[in-house]
């Protein structure tokens, strides 16, 4: 049913992302699907964790864990953004199209008061992506 699953990740791995990775691993195993992990990062002054080397190392750790857990072909893609907060939603939507994903598995938090004013990243993807979006809470 699904042949290519995209998982947007925050490399700091909040609990919502970990849960989405677990769900995606099970789906990939069941569907025998390829998985692409996509991260959007930017360079912030003084933020060592956002260096290209650090981001690559963090993504490779996630790739290795997910590959072992699912048995799937897993790769990572990092998108560099000048303004992550403003560009992340559009970057993720475009990435899904560019890589040919047919499912996005994304983690989200329980709704907060601000979510009634501004859409969450998962909400944006669910509204705007041209492929199926599985939101994990």
């Amino acid at each position: 049913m699904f042949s290519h699953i995209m998982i947007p990740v925050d490399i700091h791995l909040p609990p919502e992302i970990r849960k989405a990775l677990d769900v995606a691993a099970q789906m990939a195993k069941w569907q025998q699907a390829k998985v692409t992990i996509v991260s959007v990062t930017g360079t912030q002054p003084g933020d060592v964790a956002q260096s290209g080397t650090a981001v690559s190392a963090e993504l490779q750790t996630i790739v290795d864990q997910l590959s072992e857990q699912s048995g799937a072909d897993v790769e990572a893609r990092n998108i560099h953004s000048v303004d992550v907060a403003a560009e992340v939603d559009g970057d993720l939507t475009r990435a899904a199209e560019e890589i040919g994903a047919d499912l996005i598995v994304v983690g989200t938090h329980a709704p907060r008061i601000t979510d009634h004013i501004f859409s969450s990243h998962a909400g944006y993807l669910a509204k705007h992506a041209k492929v199926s979006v599985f939101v994990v809470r």
Side-chain angles (χ1 to χ4, degrees):
M1 186 171 181
F2 297 110
S3 60
H4 192 170
I5 301 170
M6 180 180 115
I7 311 167
V9 298
D10 175 346
I11 59 171
H12 301 297
L13 292 179
E16 297 86 8
I17 302 299
R18 291 186 192 280
K19 194 170 180 182
L21 287 169
D22 291 341
V23 169
Q26 291 300 316
M27 292 183 84
K29 188 175 194 176
W30 172 52
Q31 298 284 315
Q32 298 176 341
K34 176 181 176 180
V35 177
T36 301
I37 296 167
V38 178
S39 178
V40 179
T41 59
T43 305
Q44 309 260 337
D47 189 0
V48 178
Q50 295 290 348
S51 73
T53 305
V55 169
S56 295
E58 290 289 333
L59 288 175
Q60 190 58 50
T61 300
I62 297 168
V63 165
D64 293 343
Q65 290 172 350
L66 191 61
S67 182
E68 183 179 324
Q69 187 178 0
S70 68
D73 177 24
V74 182
E75 60 185 39
R77 178 178 184 172
N78 184 54
I79 300 169
H80 180 76
S81 174
V82 175
D83 186 352
V84 176
E87 298 176 344
V88 66
D89 295 326
D91 287 345
L92 292 173
T93 304
R94 276 188 303 281
E97 292 177 31
E98 289 171 5
I99 65 172
D102 52 9
L103 175 66
I104 300 170
V105 177
V106 61
T108 192
H109 54 74
R112 301 175 189 147
I113 191 73
T114 56
D115 292 323
H116 296 285
I117 301 165
F118 305 107
S119 179
S120 67
H121 301 302
Y124 182 92
L125 286 170
K127 289 179 191 172
H128 298 282
K130 295 179 181 176
V131 299
S132 297
V133 178
F134 189 97
V135 179
V136 178
R137 187 177 329 177

